[in-house]
Every structure is written in C-alpha cells, then in structure tokens.
Amino acid sequence: METLELRQHLAVAATSLRSCLEQYRAAGIQVLPASATAEVPDAAVPAGTEETGSATDLGQLRQILGDCRRCKLSHGRTHLVFGVGNPHADVMFVGEGPGRDEDLQGEPFVGRAGQLLTDIITKGMKLRREEVYIANVVKCRPPRNRDPEPDEVASCEPFLIRQIELVKPRVIIALGKFAAQTLVRSAAPISRLRGQWHDYHGIRLMPTFHPAYLLRNPGDKGLVWEDIKSVLRELRDTGFETAVT
C-alpha cells in the first residue's frame, strides 16, 4: 500500500500547509520569513505522515492517535471513536463516521443503526460481534452527522489505512455511500457500487447500504442480505467456516 499511503500523506501535508499559510495570512504576514519552518504551529504538523507506519499493532496505533487534534472535528467531539473487535478479524466493517450515540460512548455502531449491524453479524452471518472488526473513515463525529470534508478525511485516513493493514481482513464491507466512495475511489452512487466486488489493494471489498439507511428504507434489507450472502460465499471459498450458505 505504499503508493496509497504516499498519496494520503501528500494530501495531509497539503492540507496542513494550507492551514499554516492561512494562519500567517490572518496574522498579516504576506511573506514567510526565512525561519518560518521553526515557527510552524503544532497544528501544521502533518497527521500520520510517519507515525502510523511505526505501529505494529492496533494498541500502538491508538496510542499514536492519542487525543487527536489533527482536524477541526476534534473541537466538537465528546469521545474519539477508534475501532473495536478482533484485531485479526477475517471480516472488517468500515462505516462513515461516528453518530451521536457513538460519540457519547466512544465505540462505533452502538445506536439503532449499530443494533441493526449487530443483527446482520449475529443473525445473518452467524458470527459474534467480537469476531469482526468495526471502524469508521473518520474517528470523530461530524457536526449534525454531515459527511466528512476532504481535509478531515485526509487527516484521518492514514489511521484507517493502517488499521486495515494491521487487521489484514479477508473481506472489507463498506457501509454506506461515503465509506464505499472513499475506499473504492469512486463518485458512483452506492446503489451502483453495492453488490459488486471491488479490490482494495488485494483485499476483497463489498460495498452495501448503511444500516442507518435501512432504518429509513427497510424494503432494501433484502439487497443487503444478498450482499452479505456474497461475502459469506467468498469467505467459504477461501476456507472460512460458516453455517450460512
């Protein structure tokens, strides 16, 4: 994933440099002094450029993330939501970002949508929630649950990339439009992306509807079940034991 990491690191660096220049401009500085590199504020240090690669497990990665202040989402959060589950899971779910309940509890997918995801895992896939790994594209709740903005993704995605590298799942299930578009690198709507296998640097990736969408559109639960059955067939074909066919 070196090429992808480099691209993400450059995006983060560009965002950080822009932020730094805006701070100088706001202070009335139009030309950077020769010693500017020594005056760059902490907020301008690129997030994840070197640090994520040094983590050898998820615990270390969480320590590196720390009390993250790498983007503006940190200003309004209650808790940072890192990820939860089996650190060596065969199946990894990636959502968009924490909601209200997740922000309050510090764990992904714990509200009504989270309960539906748990039902998909336990009743549909016949797995325990602890057997899979669950994370989000961004680790802090966007205001009013809006979509994360590009600079916020640029700050957070190096940590998601490293989470995927460390877990090494056989299959990633991208939940919802934003997670799918971010991982697949496509602007296509989720209605076109779902149900089709994609490749994420050698890992099979299946986009499907977000559980929150299903709460509003229960008639599409059957489509998600078809996607989950495709995942189970893929897992079975690669030696994963499951009771569902």
Side-chain angles (χ1 to χ4, degrees):
M1 298 188 186
E2 292 182 359
T3 301
L4 178 60
E5 286 183 351
L6 177 59
R7 188 163 61 246
Q8 293 301 324
H9 294 167
L10 290 174
V12 172
T15 298
S16 299
L17 178 59
R18 187 181 306 112
S19 174
C20 180
L21 292 175
E22 287 173 354
Q23 291 180 47
Y24 277 111
R25 188 178 300 114
I29 300 173
Q30 301 300 321
V31 178
L32 291 179
S35 60
T37 54
E39 300 175 16
V40 174
D42 290 343
V45 176
T49 53
E50 299 293 339
E51 46 192 357
T52 57
S54 67
T56 59
D57 58 45
L58 293 172
Q60 286 187 4
L61 186 64
R62 178 63 185 88
Q63 288 182 343
I64 291 169
L65 185 59
D67 183 29
C68 184
R69 304 288 171 181
R70 293 171 177 84
C71 80
K72 59 185 178 294
L73 287 182
S74 64
H75 303 326
R77 73 163 183 248
T78 305
H79 291 103
L80 188 149
V81 182
F82 179 69
V84 67
N86 181 355
H88 305 292
D90 288 296
V91 180
M92 181 171 179
F93 290 88
V94 177
E96 303 176 354
R100 176 180 177 275
D101 293 307
E102 291 74 21
D103 176 64
L104 292 174
Q105 297 187 42
E107 183 174 328
F109 286 93
V110 292
R112 291 181 62 220
Q115 182 55 58
L116 181 52
L117 177 60
T118 299
D119 288 344
I120 291 171
I121 295 167
T122 59
K123 298 178 182 179
M125 302 182 77
K126 307 301 181 185
L127 299 170
R128 291 179 293 112
R129 183 175 162 117
E130 295 77 15
E131 291 182 83
V132 305
Y133 193 80
I134 306 172
N136 285 308
V137 174
V138 296
K139 312 306 185 190
C140 299
R141 181 193 181 191
R144 298 176 299 280
N145 294 342
R146 63 162 170 75
D147 285 345
E149 296 177 352
D151 61 314
E152 296 160 356
V153 175
S155 294
C156 233
E157 195 173 8
F159 291 91
L160 174 62
I161 291 171
R162 191 61 181 154
Q163 281 177 301
I164 294 172
E165 290 176 335
L166 292 169
V167 174
K168 298 182 179 67
R170 298 189 188 189
V171 172
I172 298 171
I173 301 176
L175 299 170
K177 176 189 75 172
F178 189 82
Q181 291 178 343
T182 298
L183 293 173
V184 175
R185 293 289 187 260
S186 170
I190 185 64
S191 58
R192 282 176 47 198
L193 293 174
R194 64 141 296 271
Q196 306 295 323
W197 283 107
H198 302 264
D199 179 84
Y200 183 84
H201 300 272
I203 300 173
R204 299 279 273 168
L205 186 149
M206 173 62 73
T208 194
F209 292 123
H210 195 284
Y213 168 86
L214 295 181
L215 293 176
R216 302 188 300 270
N217 302 274
D220 284 340
K221 287 183 178 180
L223 296 176
V224 173
W225 177 230
E226 291 302 317
D227 299 341
I228 294 301
K229 286 195 292 185
S230 291
V231 169
L232 292 171
R233 285 193 293 270
E234 174 70 18
L235 291 170
R236 186 186 63 238
D237 291 344
T238 56
F240 182 83
E241 294 294 330
T242 177
V244 180
T245 59

